[in-house]
Amino acid sequence: MVDRTALQLQNVSKSYGKYPALKSLDLKVSSGQIVALFGHNGAGKSTLLRVLSMAHRPDTGHLSILNADSIQYKSWCKARVGDVGHTNYMYPDLSPTENLIFFARLYGVPDYKTRVSRLLENLDLTEMAEQPLRNLSHGQQKRTALARAVVHEPSILLLDEPDAGLDIHAQELMRSLIKHISANGGTVLFSSHDPHSSLTLANEFLLLRKGHLITHSTNSYSSKNELLKDLYTAEP
């Protein structure tokens, strides 16, 4: 049987000074899944995403990307992951087109001009594609960041509250892209404070509490109800 594991954490802990953000966390996510990550503020959601993206190295434990050791094969693993956090990692004086071409060439994307043009069209950015990024609205910049994250067609996409600040049209564009990635065997893991909307998209969910992973479940009717009860009644 082929192992379709996309992400695996084993006994991962991460602290910032004396503050423990993740505590002995074990996680395994299969390819093709759309996974929603929930938890109150301070639960460890952003830290988990930073560890999975290899932006932060865990203090203890082990991370595998597509069954490859993230330390031994760091460059290979990084090339298989795309991420959008609270910083867009783009150049404000360059246009969306120029930013995307820069990152596409950095990743060695073949026929990068066609790839960039298609992404700009799919994310409804064509009209402002040649304007400096700093002149774009927050939502337009966030869509450009999403295009940057997927320009190299990563196997894994990590998103930290991707729908924050987006209007309904932009949210639908983002959801369409996430579904496309999953349908083609890719894996998407995103954090959210909106369980009702997120659970219409995800087929699995995670629940963090004070650095512990307390739930990893398929998105069934009963597990969804348990999640909602926990989120609205549990102490942060």
Side-chain angles (χ1 to χ4, degrees):
M1 181 179 294
V2 177
D3 189 341
R4 300 181 64 248
T5 301
L7 295 165
Q8 185 166 15
L9 293 174
Q10 296 173 298
N11 196 35
V12 164
S13 296
K14 177 67 181 177
S15 296
Y16 300 104
K18 295 183 178 180
Y19 173 72
L22 298 176
K23 304 172 185 176
S24 302
L25 193 146
D26 292 310
L27 173 65
K28 189 174 183 179
V29 176
S30 297
S31 297
Q33 298 298 97
I34 302 175
V35 185
L37 172 62
F38 300 108
H40 294 287
N41 289 334
K45 300 187 300 298
S46 292
T47 298
L48 174 57
L49 289 168
R50 292 186 190 112
V51 168
L52 291 172
S53 70
M54 290 166 286
H56 289 184
R57 185 169 174 176
D59 300 327
T60 62
H62 179 77
L63 165 65
S64 295
I65 303 291
L66 299 169
N67 294 307
D69 182 281
S70 64
I71 296 176
Q72 186 176 0
Y73 301 103
K74 183 176 180 179
S75 296
W76 186 91
C77 290
K78 272 187 168 292
R80 270 73 193 168
V81 177
D83 70 287
V84 178
H86 297 291
T87 303
N88 63 33
Y89 300 110
M90 292 184 295
Y91 298 95
D93 292 325
L94 298 183
S95 68
T97 298
E98 290 168 330
N99 269 287
L100 295 180
I101 285 176
F102 172 81
F103 284 99
R105 294 183 68 181
L106 188 67
Y107 280 108
V109 176
D111 195 14
Y112 60 86
K113 291 183 179 180
T114 299
R115 174 65 176 162
V116 167
S117 178
R118 186 178 299 119
L119 280 172
L120 290 169
E121 182 178 356
N122 290 345
L123 289 167
D124 198 15
L125 291 165
T126 303
E127 290 187 6
M128 65 285 303
E130 306 308 324
Q131 299 181 33
L133 191 70
R134 65 169 70 253
N135 293 346
L136 273 58
S137 70
H138 172 77
Q140 291 165 345
Q141 290 189 30
K142 200 155 190 177
R143 277 183 276 150
T144 307
L146 181 59
R148 184 266 305 157
V150 300
V151 71
H152 58 302
E153 299 185 271
S155 301
I156 298 164
L157 178 62
L158 305 170
L159 306 170
D160 198 350
E161 298 182 22
D163 53 355
L166 296 184
D167 60 26
I168 294 175
H169 174 61
Q171 288 181 30
E172 286 304 314
L173 291 172
M174 177 195 68
R175 291 166 72 91
S176 177
L177 180 60
I178 288 173
K179 290 177 181 178
H180 175 77
I181 291 170
S182 175
N184 285 277
T187 304
V188 182
L189 195 156
F190 67 96
S191 68
S192 176
H193 284 293
D194 183 359
H196 295 283
S197 174
S198 298
L199 289 174
T200 64
L201 176 64
N203 44 37
E204 289 186 10
F205 67 81
L206 310 173
L207 177 59
L208 287 179
R209 184 185 296 155
K210 297 181 180 179
H212 292 285
L213 178 60
I214 63 170
T215 304
H216 181 187
S217 178
T218 57
N219 187 8
S220 65
Y221 177 80
S222 60
S223 61
K224 176 180 177 179
N225 286 340
E226 286 297 316
L227 170 70
L228 295 175
K229 180 180 177 181
D230 202 308
L231 284 174
Y232 290 123
T233 61
E235 290 292 328

